[in-house]
Amino acid sequence: MNILVSGGVGFIGSHVVTELLNAGHNAIIVDDLSNSEITTIDRIKQITGKSNILFYQEDVTNEATMKDIFSKNQIDGIIHLAGYKSVGESVSKPLLYYQNNILATIILAKMCLEFNVANFVFSSSATVYGDKLSPLREDMVLGSTTNPYGESKVISEKILSDLVDAHPSLKVSILRYFNPVGAHSSGLIGEKPKGIPNNLMPYITMVASGQLDQLKIFGDDYDTVDGSGVRDYIHVVDLAKGHLVALEGLKQGLSIYNLGTGRGTSVFELVETFQRVNQVGIPYQIVERRPGDIATCYADTSKIKNELGWEAKLSIEDMVRDSWRFFAKQESD
């Protein structure tokens, strides 16, 4: 199939495109490079040995541009990953997150109708569950979220649900991510944010390398095993394979799946594992909690395992090892 991947040069997108190409699909990437680098495409080609990637440096929220791209290409499906993703930034810049994330979903949904594209996989988030008690299940009724980023995903999910109600022939899969970390085992692609990282793992690698003085751990007084926040960290390669399984398993109507490991790991446990596996120290400082953060968040992954046969395979040790390998390779290149 010819799959349009919005945000396909980013951390998750590059791994998704890699899995698509390895499975014999073609990729059409739309990415504005606001938090990614064009050289990633050459790295994907190097990993896969495939050159069937068409790239457009464009903003998905530009409807006229998207119409032009769809009119010039035979597109069989969409994997929509593009969007702003920092919980903390969304609290301080809510309008930016609502406008960008929701508008991108609306425009791609319109393209489905206008160009008869029935297959749609949407990148959602565990933040849609708000502060509900873990393990989190797909059949939970969504209430209020704790931040505008999560709310932008809830609204996007609602848009797609209403779209399927109005057009039952569509095949839409919503994937609720937990916490993607790690990198491709080749060390060629991984998480390389511009500026100071918002996510934990790239921050850890920068501290480990000496580029940052210390890691800031946001709170040690949560009601968890050691006081630090507990999250369901999933290797980005497992996450990417989940997209492929969801795409190839699409069925008429709306499906919703968690993508996680089903296990919670605390920040302190993650830091300890990174130090132990990579034999490097991580100095840290405890600071105040971040607005919008919750204590514990991990998935119930039984639905996607039972319906599509997918489950995460890679461990926390794999995640920290691959993250450090990617970082070290970037520094040596």
Side-chain angles (χ1 to χ4, degrees):
M1 289 192 288
N2 297 321
I3 306 300
L4 183 137
V5 184
S6 69
V9 188
F11 171 44
I12 295 169
S14 60
H15 289 83
V16 169
V17 169
T18 296
E19 295 302 323
L20 286 173
L21 295 176
N22 283 338
H25 300 291
N26 301 316
I28 301 162
I29 297 175
V30 182
D31 196 307
D32 65 3
L33 301 182
S34 60
N35 196 33
S36 54
E37 296 180 353
I38 189 65
T39 54
T40 300
I41 295 177
D42 290 331
R43 294 174 180 228
I44 295 171
K45 292 178 180 178
Q46 186 178 340
I47 292 169
T48 62
K50 308 284 181 66
S51 58
N52 48 330
I53 303 175
L54 188 58
F55 172 67
Y56 293 93
Q57 185 178 348
E58 300 290 352
D59 187 336
V60 181
T61 64
N62 187 322
E63 185 170 354
T65 297
M66 295 309 298
K67 280 187 178 182
D68 185 55
I69 291 171
F70 274 78
S71 66
K72 289 178 177 176
N73 297 279
Q74 175 58 50
I75 295 172
D76 302 306
I78 296 168
I79 298 180
H80 176 30
L81 306 165
Y84 297 139
K85 62 178 184 177
S86 168
V87 167
E89 185 181 57
S90 78
V91 174
S92 61
K93 299 178 180 179
L95 296 182
L96 179 68
Y97 274 69
Y98 286 127
Q99 178 176 352
N100 183 81
N101 293 1
I102 296 169
L103 183 57
T105 302
I106 290 172
I107 288 174
L108 286 176
K110 290 174 73 173
M111 296 303 103
C112 284
L113 300 183
E114 186 168 340
F115 294 93
N116 298 312
V117 179
N119 303 305
F120 195 110
V121 176
F122 174 62
S123 159
S124 190
S125 165
T127 55
V128 301
Y129 292 111
D131 57 3
K132 287 182 166 49
L133 295 178
S134 295
L136 301 168
R137 303 184 316 275
E138 295 90 341
D139 60 0
M140 287 178 164
V141 176
L142 302 184
S144 60
T145 62
T146 60
N147 54 77
Y149 166 72
E151 197 64 27
S152 76
K153 292 296 186 180
V154 170
I155 295 169
S156 290
E157 286 195 15
K158 177 61 174 171
I159 289 167
L160 293 173
S161 176
D162 290 345
L163 180 71
V164 170
D165 287 344
H167 303 275
S169 63
L170 293 176
K171 302 174 182 179
V172 176
S173 186
I174 291 172
L175 303 180
R176 293 174 177 166
Y177 301 175
F178 280 70
N179 289 69
V181 296
H184 194 270
S185 60
S186 65
L188 289 170
I189 56 174
E191 190 169 13
K192 191 179 180 181
K194 296 181 178 179
I196 300 297
N198 290 311
N199 294 337
L200 178 59
M201 189 63 81
Y203 208 113
I204 288 175
T205 58
M206 292 184 74
V207 172
S209 70
Q211 292 188 23
L212 294 174
D213 291 337
Q214 59 185 1
L215 173 68
K216 292 180 180 178
I217 295 179
F218 296 98
D220 65 348
D221 57 350
Y222 287 106
D223 184 17
T224 61
V225 63
D226 56 22
S228 66
V230 169
R231 297 293 181 267
D232 188 339
Y233 297 99
I234 175 173
H235 198 294
V236 67
V237 172
D238 277 333
L239 188 84
K241 290 179 178 177
H243 288 74
L244 181 64
V245 168
L247 175 72
E248 295 181 341
L250 279 169
K251 56 189 177 184
Q252 194 168 310
L254 179 71
S255 301
I256 302 174
Y257 299 108
N258 287 333
L259 286 182
T261 66
R263 299 181 300 275
T265 301
S266 77
V267 175
F268 286 136
E269 289 170 336
L270 186 66
V271 170
E272 186 280 325
T273 304
F274 190 100
Q275 295 181 120
R276 171 172 50 83
V277 169
N278 297 314
Q279 296 295 296
V280 60
I282 308 293
Y284 62 83
Q285 174 190 11
I286 308 298
V287 297
E288 291 183 0
R289 299 181 184 187
R290 289 182 303 188
D293 273 351
I294 59 175
T296 300
C297 178
Y298 64 93
D300 180 328
T301 59
S302 57
K303 183 182 178 185
I304 191 169
K305 181 179 180 180
N306 293 336
E307 293 187 11
L308 299 179
W310 175 92
E311 61 180 330
K313 303 290 188 184
L314 299 169
S315 67
I316 289 289
E317 285 79 8
D318 294 319
M319 298 176 208
V320 299
R321 184 183 300 110
D322 289 341
S323 293
W324 186 234
R325 180 190 296 115
F326 168 72
F327 186 88
K329 187 171 179 60
Q330 308 320 298
E331 293 303 293
S332 64
D333 286 349

